[in-house]
Amino acid sequence: MKLGKPPVVEAWIEFRLILGEEVPQWSEEVACRYIDRYYKDVFSRVQVMGHHEISFEMRDSVRRYPVLKDAKAVFERIKASTADDDRLLQVGRDIVVLNMLRKQQDEWPAYRVLRDEALTAFEHY
């Protein structure tokens, strides 16, 4: 049985890895090189995903107010998308994700298409 308009709008395959400490840290530069090397002509838009780590220390023993001690940007992953936003590839130090998004007018490809693309991205990783 095949549904004409399945209710699914996004499907993805995600690989999470448990890496040892000897593996070099991924950075924005490393992730961009991965995209450029294997997917330069496929994914035309790239976003850097991350967060900020901020720490404070308490100052003044009477009024006790926080003072910024340290702040740094932390790279998590890069998210690359095709020009028409129907495919996304996310890569970071311990993760590879391939997303397929369904456009209203498009038919869903077979599962094997998603599987094969995700396995290829993982092999490149």
Side-chain angles (χ1 to χ4, degrees):
M1 180 175 150
K2 183 175 179 177
L3 298 173
K5 292 186 178 183
V8 178
V9 295
E10 180 178 9
W12 69 90
I13 295 178
E14 179 174 318
F15 300 95
R16 289 196 175 261
L17 302 106
I18 299 173
L19 303 173
E21 291 302 316
E22 69 279 356
V23 177
Q25 287 285 47
W26 269 64
S27 64
E28 181 179 344
E29 180 182 334
V30 172
C32 285
R33 281 198 313 257
Y34 171 89
I35 297 296
D36 285 345
R37 181 174 181 184
Y38 299 109
Y39 295 102
K40 188 176 188 174
D41 297 330
V42 179
F43 297 103
S44 57
R45 297 183 313 168
V46 175
Q47 289 179 295
V48 175
M49 311 294 285
H51 66 273
H52 289 85
E53 291 181 357
I54 301 170
S55 61
F56 295 91
E57 64 184 9
M58 299 305 285
R59 291 266 173 92
D60 191 335
S61 59
V62 177
R63 293 190 317 240
R64 304 278 309 162
Y65 60 91
V67 174
L68 180 64
K69 181 179 178 182
D70 188 34
K72 65 180 178 178
V74 178
F75 171 79
E76 289 179 16
R77 67 177 81 172
I78 199 164
K79 183 165 71 171
S81 62
T82 57
D84 57 358
D85 287 328
D86 67 339
R87 300 274 197 290
L88 299 171
L89 179 62
Q90 303 175 63
V91 290
R93 181 175 189 267
D94 58 357
I95 190 165
V96 177
V97 184
L98 181 74
N99 306 69
M100 284 187 172
L101 289 83
R102 181 175 179 262
K103 302 289 187 176
Q104 287 297 88
Q105 67 279 8
D106 293 343
E107 288 287 320
W108 270 107
Y111 167 76
R112 67 177 153 42
V113 173
L114 173 61
R115 179 199 63 205
D116 291 349
E117 288 183 27
L119 286 171
T120 299
F122 184 62
E123 285 175 23
H124 293 321
Y125 185 84

